[in-house]
Amino acid sequence: MNTTEKKLNAVIACLMAESMADQERARRVLRELMTAPPAQMDAESETRRVLLELGVPEHIKGHPRLVCAVCAVVEKPDFLNAITKELYTMIAETFHDKPSRVERSIRHAIECAWDRCDLDVRMHYFGNTISPVKCKPTNSEFIARVANEIRHRLAE
């Protein structure tokens, strides 16, 4: 359940509460949700923000699949140990696609980002971790690095 749904449920609980204690409890929950720091609210929106900063175009097929992959790894880091068999399969089921097409669309999104991204932004996120021979990160390197960044942002 995302933050918006939680806020909506708190408002509904407040409106439907019969006792003053229940209404006050619902108001307290809503106040807590409204004052939460933005970085702690939603891993998906944070992922989208980072991907845009890295230059991943929103109009290509790989963008939502990459968002899904990063969010899945943020939630369950073990996906990085079975990226082809588990992560791509899970994303393929979500988007009614094939795992090989998911892999290809994510690779294409990373290639586009690597061509568009400012060198300073690239160095900020990846530093010297990318092989100069390959010139761009693999899918798993990219997903792992972005997921790690999201985890740090959410922990702040």
Side-chain angles (χ1 to χ4, degrees), residues 7 10 23-36:
K7 289 178 186 177
Q23 288 180 358
E24 184 54 41
R25 193 174 311 119
R27 284 190 195 101
R28 188 175 58 248
V29 169
L30 184 58
R31 270 194 304 273
E32 289 171 9
L33 288 170
M34 297 298 284
T35 59

Side-chain angles (χ1 to χ4, degrees), residues 7-63:
K7 289 178 186 177
L8 186 59
N9 287 341
V11 169
I12 291 169
C14 184
L15 293 173
M16 296 183 74
E18 293 180 12
S19 71
M20 291 299 285
D22 289 342
Q23 288 180 358
E24 184 54 41
R25 193 174 311 119
R27 284 190 195 101
R28 188 175 58 248
V29 169
L30 184 58
R31 270 194 304 273
E32 289 171 9
L33 288 170
M34 297 298 284
T35 59
Q40 291 183 346
M41 288 189 178
D42 192 6
E44 184 178 333
S45 63
E46 220 28 64
T47 301
R48 289 182 188 282
R49 206 170 294 135
V50 169
L51 292 180
L52 285 175
E53 190 177 350
L54 285 167
V56 178
E58 287 183 288
H59 69 280
I60 61 175
K61 258 181 143 177
H63 187 274

